[in-house]
Amino acid sequence: MSQRTYFQLWADAQVELRHLLDEELPAEPRRPEKDRVVFFQRLATFYVRYIRTLRQLEEAYDLMVHPQKRRLVRRILDSVMGRVLELKNEMVETESLEYHYMDDVLHDMKLTPAELEIPIPRYFSEHSKEVQQRKAMVADLLKMVEMNESPEPLTVKRMSPEKAVRLVQLAERARQGRLRAKLSMECRNMNRMYRTKDSGAADMELAATCIQKVWRSFLTRRRTKAERQEEMIFLGMIMDPNHQQPSPAELTAQANEACTRVKQEEHEEAYQKSIEVVTNQLRDMEGHDMSKTMKEQIRQWFIECRNATGVFPDYPDEDDGGSALIFAEKNPQQLIEELAEKEVAANNKPKGKEEKKEKGKKDKAMVDKEEEAAGLTMMPSAFLSDLEEGHKTFVDFWQTRDESENFIQRHEVELIKEEKRKVVEAEIQKQVDEQMRQELAEWKLSVDKDKGGKTKANAKVSELNTMCTDYMKPLELFANSMDFTQQKKKASKSGKKKKKEKDLTADRTLESLCQELVEQGLLKQADRVRLHDYLGDYSYLGTTMRQNDIEPMPSLSDVRQVLSLYAVLPLGSQPVHEKAPLVKAMLLVGPSGVGKKMLVHAVCQETGSTMFDLSPLNTAGKYPGKSGLAMMLHLVFKVARLLQPSVIWVEDAEKMFYKKVPKEEKELDPKRLKKDLLKSLKLIKGEDRVLLIGTTKDPLSADIKSLCKMYSKIILIPRPDYGSRYILWKHLIQKQGGEVTQALDLSSLAKITDGYTPGHMVQAIQSVLTKRRILMQTSRPLTAAEFVPQLAKIDPVFQEEEEALKNWYTKTPLGKKRIKAATGKEEEEAGKGKTAKTKRKKKKK
């Protein structure tokens, strides 16, 4: 597509964003919604619309060439992703569920389930040069360690003479059996050659009729099969085997896409060079005038403040913004007017009983307002202001801009000047502040040193200070002396002291730390799997089952969507991770074979994250003692921050929280990380793109309170439903080299494998589809009956096991909240709490 098409796609997304912002930020605030179902429908509608906008913006950003447009689209794209996460968080708080069913919303909006899939931006896997160098360093270390690991020496097992004789006998008998079979086959062939047949009186006409019948039936079957295949291809049910190779149009589109990406890199390099050139030009041509103007304004401010107060002011500190505060504040005339108004207000201020009465009236009004506002309202957003700003920039600069002369989509130099002029002003402002501080000190020495009567001057200054409190707070201009401001600074600094984490490896390089972690097996390479490889169908009857008071089980598609929201989007974007609801740790719970490990590796691949393994079995025997444990966690979390985004994986997370450690695992000490890992997790902040992911198949053996304290998000992964099993069988058989024909009844196979996980299906397929069986498919196609014996050898996930996991999930914080909401206790408790508060306030009055 052309660049005009991508710009139009961006413009369409901005139109939809404008509608969304108008609905979310109306002129008059919405009334609280008392009906929880109606409120959730509003949230779900916003959620689906934002996902559609996210998909449009991602497609426009991916192949847009203009560097300045790309930056603006990137900011808007990050804000839309953050808003999607905020809406997801609100839906979880409203329904007390991690999985939501919005098939009724899709039906009303006439959308397909594919529209609900979370698009993962391509730039998540594109990193800066520094990050790429770090990733390459880790990959080289992993290869080096693999090469240095010497293979185990071959050992010859000793064998008794009896076993050796028995082994030789078996081999010899097998050889003789093969020879006898070969000899009997040759004898049969010789007998066939010399066998004679009584021809008798053959009816030639009957024989010809029989041959015609067989031949015509064969031709009819072949014609019918070809017509059926043509119809299925026409309907889009199967792919055309003659056109599996990419068409010329597809090859041309791929070449154009590659050419566009090359242009993106070229335009980005030209843009960066232009930034340096323009910045230097602004410094040389406008820097002197900027400095001169700032100095004149600051000197004028010195004189005005001295005329108003009688003394020169203190210069604002660099931490407070320096002279930027001076230019942002009001002039002395405005200050005097505000002071006069405040004096009038102070004189009219009620005192004593009158003041208490007015306060009581205000409290009563607040209580009435709270009672009226009883209901559900949307939480304040950290991204709507960014979306407003991005839309305003689009309308002001790009919507009506004439780009007829910029066909190749080069950068706009004037826009660079406007952006970098502010940067140059900030640089010059720091230099001017240093010079003007010295000049102010010289003025004070030359003008104020001959002043007599310190007591009168101090009285005058204190009187003026009480009148100018609002002007003094932001600027600290009218203090009695420099000692006062210095004491204030010391007090503020002492009050903000916080404990910092000790750096136990301050003298070591990142490469040495990574090498140690790789050698210890704590830093690993993630498998090459993507999130779209985690196959599963959409749950089409979720809302219908809810209406009939049946709680539906989530599908594998829902699991993939939740992982995209909680793990992929925050790890892939720094602004989203800083502002969106923070998820530090999540736990994947499900039976063996549902794909928990695959999901962890897929998250690492989608976001380019570094993977660390802190599983109890992997850390057993490494870094012994308390000091060694502290060093191990320090190394892991320090390298994880430096190589962010990072994923810390804990396999068999229940072992860390055992109620009672089994005898065979006491030597491994699986609970050694329990306390220290939680402390290290608390030190993760919004700017640290580090996520702890635990996986467990037996959460019942763990202490649920400590487990939920570690993992804020618990995702229950069920066994696949019928739709997901059908897709899995088809894809896994084709991936293993099998051919899906009409002889293979996938529907029956998906029906009889209820309770089997994707891991069980892979085992059955690998055991059936051997090399020999793959070669025999042309003469003997695959059938569903061939997989039944292999499935019979595998124990499925029984209903009792699934019910036990469901019952365990109801004991988690979110599960308890869901039960309360379902029984209506939550609303009753909220109502009782509000009435109790009003009664207490009335008693106080």
Side-chain angles (χ1 to χ4, degrees):
M1 291 190 291
S2 64
Q3 292 300 309
R4 183 180 296 176
T5 307
Y6 294 118
F7 180 79
Q8 187 60 42
L9 195 64
W10 178 25
D12 294 341
Q14 289 295 146
V15 171
E16 179 65 16
L17 268 181
R18 182 68 268 168
H19 294 325
L20 285 167
L21 291 172
D22 291 340
E23 293 180 26
E24 288 211 71
L25 300 172
E28 295 181 1
R30 291 177 181 268
R31 291 184 178 180
E33 182 61 55
K34 295 183 179 180
D35 191 346
R36 192 177 292 271
V37 177
V38 175
F39 183 71
F40 177 79
Q41 287 294 108
R42 186 195 305 168
L43 290 175
T45 305
F46 280 137
Y47 176 78
V48 174
R49 291 173 65 185
Y50 270 111
I51 288 179
R52 292 184 66 194
T53 307
L54 174 61
R55 184 173 286 104
Q56 287 179 316
L57 289 171
E58 196 278 327
E59 186 178 353
Y61 175 80
D62 187 32
L63 291 174
M64 193 175 281
V65 171
H66 200 292
Q68 291 158 312
K69 290 181 184 176
R70 282 173 58 83
R71 275 162 173 75
L72 180 57
V73 176
R74 172 75 175 269
R75 291 207 308 268
I76 299 172
L77 183 61
D78 288 338
S79 300
V80 172
M81 285 191 291
R83 187 58 187 148
V84 168
L85 294 180
E86 287 178 340
L87 290 171
K88 171 66 177 177
N89 187 52
E90 289 195 47
M91 289 193 293
V92 172
E93 293 295 326
T94 304
E95 280 200 325
S96 301
L97 283 173
E98 296 291 355
Y99 299 106
H100 311 290
Y101 306 99
M102 292 173 278
D103 38 293
D104 55 340
V105 178
L106 294 177
H107 183 268
D108 294 339
M109 299 178 68
K110 295 180 174 57
L111 300 176
T112 61
E115 297 285 337
L116 202 59
E117 195 72 28
I118 304 296
I120 298 174
R122 187 187 177 99
Y123 71 84
F124 279 7
S125 56
E126 298 174 359
H127 305 287
S128 61
K129 291 183 179 180
E130 295 180 0
V131 177
Q132 288 178 356
Q133 290 174 359
R134 291 176 180 178
K135 301 290 182 184
M137 176 192 69
V138 173
D140 293 341
L141 288 173
L142 288 167
K143 289 181 181 178
M144 191 190 310
V145 170
E146 288 177 1
M147 291 174 63
N148 292 336
E149 287 179 355
S150 57
E152 296 181 1
L154 296 174
T155 57
V156 180
K157 294 183 179 180
R158 294 185 179 183
M159 188 182 297
S160 62
E162 292 80 6
K163 287 185 178 180
V165 170
R166 194 178 299 114
L167 186 63
V168 172
Q169 287 177 348
L170 288 172
E172 179 61 22
R173 287 169 183 167
R175 186 186 69 81
Q176 292 178 5
R178 287 193 295 272
L179 287 175
R180 282 196 298 270
K182 184 178 179 182
L183 182 61
S184 62
M185 181 66 72
E186 290 177 353
C187 291
R188 283 196 297 270
N189 292 336
M190 293 290 292
N191 292 333
R192 286 174 187 167
M193 290 174 62
Y194 293 105
R195 189 178 298 166
T196 59
K197 232 187 203 184
D198 277 343
S199 58
D203 190 354
M204 300 299 292
E205 187 176 353
L206 184 63
T209 305
C210 182
I211 293 171
Q212 288 176 0
K213 190 187 297 182
V214 172
W215 177 246
R216 286 172 181 171
S217 62
F218 168 73
L219 290 177
T220 305
R221 286 195 301 271
R222 188 170 67 177
R223 193 184 308 114
T224 306
K225 183 179 178 181
E227 291 175 356
R228 186 186 296 114
Q229 189 173 11
E230 288 178 4
E231 183 180 5
M232 298 294 281
I233 293 171
F234 176 74
L235 295 174
M237 302 296 290
I238 61 174
M239 295 293 294
D240 189 357
N242 299 324
H243 298 286
Q244 289 184 352
Q245 296 295 329
S247 62
E250 293 175 343
L251 294 174
T252 305
Q254 293 173 3
N256 291 338
E257 182 178 342
C259 182
T260 302
R261 299 196 185 282
V262 172
K263 285 183 181 179
Q264 282 181 351
E265 296 177 0
E266 293 175 354
H267 288 197
E268 182 65 26
E269 291 178 3
Y271 176 68
Q272 295 296 337
K273 291 178 181 177
S274 180
I275 287 175
E276 296 180 4
V277 173
V278 169
T279 306
N280 293 330
Q281 288 178 354
L282 289 174
R283 286 197 193 100
D284 298 338
M285 299 176 65
E286 301 181 15
H288 179 71
D289 295 337
M290 289 180 186
S291 177
K292 186 178 179 182
T293 305
M294 288 181 187
K295 288 179 180 179
E296 290 176 356
Q297 292 177 351
I298 293 171
R299 290 191 187 103
Q300 182 66 24
W301 177 72
F302 289 164
I303 296 169
E304 290 176 357
C305 289
R306 190 175 186 279
N307 293 336
T309 60
V311 293
F312 284 114
D314 293 328
Y315 206 88
D317 293 333
E318 187 177 352
D319 297 336
D320 296 331
S323 58
L325 287 176
I326 300 172
F327 303 133
E329 290 299 325
K330 300 169 183 176
N331 56 35
Q333 184 63 30
Q334 293 173 338
L335 175 64
I336 292 170
E337 292 176 0
E338 284 190 3
L339 291 173
E341 291 176 1
K342 288 187 179 179
E343 284 181 3
V344 174
N347 293 332
N348 297 332
K349 187 177 180 182
K351 296 181 180 179
K353 294 181 179 179
E354 296 177 359
E355 186 177 356
K356 289 182 180 178
K357 286 181 181 178
E358 287 194 6
K359 192 175 181 182
K361 289 179 182 178
K362 288 180 180 178
D363 291 340
K364 188 177 180 181
M366 290 293 291
V367 171
D368 294 337
K369 284 183 180 179
E370 288 179 0
E371 290 178 354
E372 289 177 2
L376 297 169
T377 57
M378 296 181 70
M379 299 170 64
S381 172
F383 295 96
L384 288 179
S385 58
D386 296 337
L387 289 173
E388 283 275 7
E389 183 182 350
H391 182 75
K392 186 177 182 301
T393 307
F394 169 76
V395 172
D396 294 343
F397 289 101
W398 300 110
Q399 189 174 20
T400 57
R401 196 176 191 87
D402 184 14
E403 293 189 296
S404 57
E405 297 181 358
N406 190 13
F407 180 76
I408 59 175
Q409 293 292 293
R410 289 279 183 179
H411 55 269
E412 302 283 347
V413 179
E414 293 300 324
L415 292 178
I416 298 177
K417 286 183 179 179
E418 292 179 8
E419 293 174 2
K420 293 303 170 183
R421 188 173 281 111
K422 298 177 183 178
V423 177
V424 174
E425 284 181 358
E427 294 175 358
I428 293 173
Q429 178 195 325
K430 292 181 180 180
Q431 300 173 3
V432 170
D433 287 348
E434 294 178 1
Q435 297 173 7
M436 296 310 294
R437 281 194 185 93
Q438 297 177 359
E439 188 171 331
L440 179 61
E442 294 173 0
W443 281 25
K444 285 183 177 181
L445 288 175
S446 61
V447 176
D448 294 341
K449 68 179 180 179
D450 296 333
K451 217 172 186 182
K454 290 184 180 179
T455 56
K456 293 180 181 180
N458 289 337
K460 185 177 180 181
V461 171
S462 61
E463 183 180 354
L464 288 167
N465 283 340
T466 56
M467 294 172 61
C468 304
T469 52
D470 290 337
Y471 192 53
M472 288 188 306
K473 282 181 182 178
L475 297 177
E476 298 178 1
L477 301 176
F478 308 114
N480 289 332
S481 62
M482 286 294 291
D483 295 336
F484 175 77
T485 55
Q486 289 174 0
Q487 289 173 5
K488 190 174 181 181
K489 288 180 207 169
K490 288 179 182 177
S492 63
K493 286 181 181 178
S494 61
K496 291 183 180 178
K497 281 186 178 179
K498 290 183 180 179
K499 289 184 179 180
K500 291 185 178 180
E501 186 183 3
K502 291 183 180 179
D503 192 356
L504 303 176
T505 55
D507 56 338
R508 295 180 60 181
T509 61
L510 176 62
E511 187 175 357
S512 65
L513 298 177
C514 292
Q515 185 173 359
E516 181 177 344
L517 290 175
V518 170
E519 290 173 353
Q520 294 294 331
L522 301 178
L523 178 57
K524 294 184 176 181
Q525 189 79 28
D527 297 339
R528 291 186 176 276
V529 290
R530 307 305 290 263
L531 205 58
H532 60 76
D533 296 331
Y534 189 77
L535 301 173
D537 199 8
Y538 181 74
S539 180
Y540 296 95
L541 299 175
T543 305
T544 307
M545 294 175 71
R546 283 265 184 92
Q547 291 172 354
N548 295 323
D549 296 330
I550 301 173
E551 188 61 33
M553 284 299 291
S555 66
L556 299 187
S557 175
D558 298 325
V559 176
R560 184 174 64 241
Q561 187 175 1
V562 168
L563 262 291
S564 299
L565 291 168
Y566 288 153
V568 177
L569 295 187
L571 286 176
S573 174
Q574 184 70 33
V576 173
H577 195 274
E578 290 178 358
K579 295 183 180 181
L582 183 61
V583 177
K584 295 183 180 181
M586 62 188 303
L587 181 67
L588 305 181
V589 182
S592 178
V594 293
K596 301 182 292 294
K597 181 179 177 181
M598 178 183 177
L599 287 171
V600 176
H601 288 271
V603 168
C604 295
Q605 283 295 329
E606 293 290 353
T607 59
S609 299
T610 311
M611 184 176 172
F612 300 86
D613 188 359
L614 284 182
S615 305
L617 295 180
N618 189 43
T619 57
K622 298 174 183 177
Y623 296 94
K626 289 186 177 180
S627 59
L629 182 61
M631 176 60 76
M632 179 178 67
L633 290 175
H634 170 75
L635 286 173
V636 169
F637 278 87
K638 180 180 178 180
V639 177
R641 288 188 181 94
L642 293 174
L643 296 178
Q644 61 179 303
S646 301
V647 171
I648 300 174
W649 177 38
V650 180
E651 190 179 13
D652 297 330
E654 77 279 357
K655 296 180 183 294
M656 204 178 292
F657 305 95
Y658 267 144
K659 296 176 184 176
K660 185 179 179 181
V661 181
K663 292 182 180 179
E664 59 272 13
E665 295 185 17
K666 283 187 177 179
E667 295 181 358
L668 303 177
D669 192 13
K671 299 176 69 174
R672 64 193 292 248
L673 284 173
K674 180 180 177 180
K675 295 181 180 179
D676 293 327
L677 182 59
L678 184 60
K679 292 178 183 177
S680 301
L681 192 64
K682 289 180 179 178
L683 297 175
I684 295 177
K685 301 176 183 177
E687 58 268 16
D688 302 326
R689 286 187 290 164
V690 179
L691 179 64
L692 176 69
I693 303 180
T695 58
T696 176
K697 59 184 177 182
D698 184 24
L700 301 172
S701 61
D703 180 24
I704 191 168
K705 288 186 178 179
S706 53
L707 188 69
C708 295
K709 192 175 180 181
M710 175 79 74
Y711 299 99
S712 58
K713 290 289 182 183
I714 298 177
I715 310 300
L716 184 62
I717 304 177
R719 54 196 174 93
D721 55 1
Y722 171 80
S724 299
R725 292 196 300 273
Y726 187 93
I727 294 173
L728 282 166
W729 276 114
K730 183 177 181 181
H731 177 78
L732 293 174
I733 288 173
Q734 290 176 344
K735 186 178 179 181
Q736 195 66 22
E739 294 180 4
V740 178
T741 61
Q742 293 180 354
L744 181 59
D745 190 357
L746 290 178
S747 180
S748 300
L749 199 57
K751 188 69 176 176
I752 65 173
T753 51
D754 186 14
Y756 287 91
T757 63
H760 296 155
M761 297 178 190
V762 171
Q763 292 180 23
I765 291 170
Q766 288 178 348
S767 58
V768 171
L769 287 178
T770 59
K771 291 183 179 179
R772 183 183 178 190
R773 185 65 187 89
I774 292 172
L775 294 174
M776 293 171 61
Q777 287 183 105
T778 54
S779 59
R780 188 160 63 92
L782 284 173
T783 60
E786 297 181 55
F787 297 94
V788 174
Q790 300 300 328
L791 289 169
K793 299 177 183 178
I794 304 171
D795 291 331
V797 179
F798 295 104
Q799 193 70 24
E800 294 80 6
E801 184 179 351
E802 189 174 9
E803 290 297 328
L805 287 176
K806 285 183 184 179
N807 294 333
W808 174 86
Y809 187 76
T810 57
K811 298 176 184 177
T812 61
L814 195 63
K816 292 178 180 178
K817 190 176 178 183
R818 174 63 181 172
I819 293 174
K820 286 183 180 180
T823 55
K825 291 181 180 178
E826 191 176 25
E827 285 80 4
E828 292 178 6
E829 289 177 0
K832 289 178 182 177
K834 287 181 180 178
T835 54
K837 285 181 181 179
T838 54
K839 286 180 181 178
R840 287 173 192 167
K841 290 182 179 180
K842 287 179 180 178
K843 286 180 181 179
K844 288 180 181 178
K845 292 173 185 176

